Amino acid sequence: MHSDVERIIYSKEQIENRCIELGKIVSEHYGEETPIVVGLLKGSVPFMAELCKNIECDMEMEFMDVSSYSGTVSNEVKIVKDIEGSVTNRSVLLVEDIIDTGKTLKKVKELMYHKGAKDVKIITLLDKREARVCDVQADWYGFEIPNEFVIGFGLDYNQKYRNLPYIGVIKKSAI
Ligand code: IMP
Ligand code: MG
């Protein structure tokens, strides 16, 4: 375990097993359809990789990078890197590491519909439901977690710890 980690809340094995279950659910949901699976950089990368290994239906992979910032009136999302293909009349599956306030995913979901997607679903590794301020929900999630700051499996603190193969709570001394 990394010396900055206070405790592990989900191990590598638990995450891998959950991704097998989620992969099955997603594959059954889409069936003969070919969804465009859109990972939000950078946090979703490890979850995206683990999940996609377990998706058995045909799918396309895209990545998008957005940064959210609080304006005076509403929260805005700036597109740092957009997807490359068209989503017109396609089913889109947004992949996130965590839904916290929900602001990012609410905006990205709206954006996908604006681009012409016929259906937009959300899958997230972690759901921090207590912290939600927007009316956006995950269609599927790996684990629900309390309102605590976590790192690992894509989740960072100041860009560090994304490579940890588990999800843990960071030590106060590391912040
Ligand atoms: P939201 O728009 O508040 O839902 O923001 C979600 C984003 O906040 C995630 O994609 C993460 O980048 C970040 N985030 C929220 N909670 C945590 C956490 O506990 N650890 C690391 N990053 C987090
Ligand atoms: Mg993120």
Side-chain angles (χ1 to χ4, degrees):
M1 187 167 86
H2 193 291
S3 57
D4 290 344
V5 173
E6 168 91 38
R7 65 179 196 280
I8 293 176
I9 54 174
Y10 290 107
S11 69
K12 180 173 180 282
E13 291 69 31
Q14 284 174 302
I15 299 167
E16 285 170 357
N17 288 335
R18 186 67 182 128
C19 287
I20 293 173
E21 293 172 355
L22 290 174
K24 231 175 243 153
I25 294 168
V26 167
S27 310
E28 277 165 22
H29 175 80
Y30 289 105
E32 296 302 303
E33 249 191 299
T34 303
I36 302 177
V37 182
V38 180
L40 299 186
L41 295 171
K42 308 170 188 122
S44 74
V45 170
F47 175 50
M48 177 90 167
E50 198 56 45
L51 177 70
C52 289
K53 283 192 267 179
N54 297 294
I55 293 181
E56 287 168 12
C57 61
D58 286 334
M59 55 161 281
E60 292 174 25
M61 219 187 255
E62 287 271 7
F63 288 96
M64 194 170 176
D65 191 3
V66 297
S67 69
S68 17
Y69 58 94
S70 306
T72 44
V73 182
S74 65
N75 271 80
E76 297 296 328
V77 166
K78 192 178 105 192
I79 300 171
V80 181
K81 183 216 172 290
D82 206 346
I83 53 169
E84 285 159 18
S86 161
V87 296
T88 306
N89 281 321
R90 299 288 301 275
S91 290
V92 171
L93 176 60
L94 298 173
V95 182
E96 248 297 34
D97 49 358
I98 188 166
I99 313 188
D100 186 29
T101 63
K103 287 174 186 167
T104 311
L105 277 172
K106 187 177 161 68
K107 288 280 176 183
V108 175
K109 192 172 177 178
E110 285 168 3
L111 190 77
M112 288 297 156
Y113 278 120
H114 186 75
K115 282 171 174 283
K118 73 166 180 201
D119 179 70
V120 183
K121 297 227 175 320
I122 294 172
I123 188 164
T124 181
L125 177 59
L126 302 176
D127 190 349
K128 219 189 245 184
R129 218 163 287 177
E130 288 168 35
R132 201 66 41 82
V133 300
C134 292
D135 62 338
V136 63
Q137 296 304 335
D139 294 277
W140 304 290
Y141 63 91
F143 306 103
E144 202 180 325
I145 60 159
N147 202 357
E148 258 186 312
F149 196 84
V150 293
I151 51 169
F153 219 89
L155 293 138
D156 72 305
Y157 174 69
N158 283 345
Q159 300 302 327
K160 270 170 75 181
Y161 314 113
R162 293 191 197 273
N163 56 315
L164 301 182
Y166 48 80
I167 291 159
V169 175
I170 193 167
K171 278 185 188 164
K172 294 236 158 47
S173 59
I175 296 179

